[in-house]
Amino acid sequence: QVQLDESGGGSVQPGGSLRLSCAASGRTFSSGTMGWFRQAPGKEREFVSVVTWGFGNKYYADAVKGRFTISRDNAKNTVYLQMNSLKPEDTAIYSCAAASSRLIVSRLRDAGAYDYWGLGTQVTISS
């Protein structure tokens, strides 16, 4: 059974940083895709960032580009999201997602393309 365990959420002031982790168990995603989506109150879930496991290509939403960095640890089957210069509009529940296969670029931002999801971790940016 595949499980995605997220950690690292919390509450920080604007301009602060957080680092999210997502550890996968039950299988490896050596040829798949893992990343993060988020959902703010009253809004639809949106794409944040993903990394392809094979080539390590990284993709970001425009809203987080230059502030967030996604990385992976193959040995630990874990993906990280370093979030810097956080803004109040980054407040959301951040969920880890994983796809068993390599997704084509046009589907990377499609939540429906992912096979597995974590429970989510709350990130709150407030002064």
Side-chain angles (χ1 to χ4, degrees), residues 22 35 39 49 52 55 58 76 80 96 98 107 111 116 119 121:
C22 173
Q39 187 167 18
S49 179
T52 61
F55 295 101
K58 302 174 182 180
K76 296 182 178 179
Y80 304 96
C96 180
R107 295 212 69 197
Y116 307 101
L119 296 179
T121 184

Side-chain angles (χ1 to χ4, degrees), residues 24-72:
S25 60
R27 64 160 291 167
T28 59
F29 292 89
S30 59
S31 62
T33 304
M34 286 184 68
W36 298 89
F37 287 73
R38 68 186 182 184
Q39 187 167 18
K43 295 187 177 181
E44 294 187 354
R45 182 166 52 189
E46 65 176 1
F47 166 81
V48 177
S49 179
V50 295
V51 57
T52 61
W53 218 254
F55 295 101
N57 295 326
K58 302 174 182 180
Y59 301 86
Y60 298 93
D62 289 341
V64 307
K65 202 172 294 183
R67 300 187 297 121
F68 290 12
T69 302
I70 193 168
S71 61
R72 63 180 187 177

Side-chain angles (χ1 to χ4, degrees), residues 102-121:
R102 186 179 304 158
L103 299 177
I104 58 175
V105 174
S106 62
R107 295 212 69 197
L108 290 172
R109 291 169 170 77
D110 179 4
Y114 292 81
D115 306 300
Y116 307 101
W117 289 86
L119 296 179
T121 184

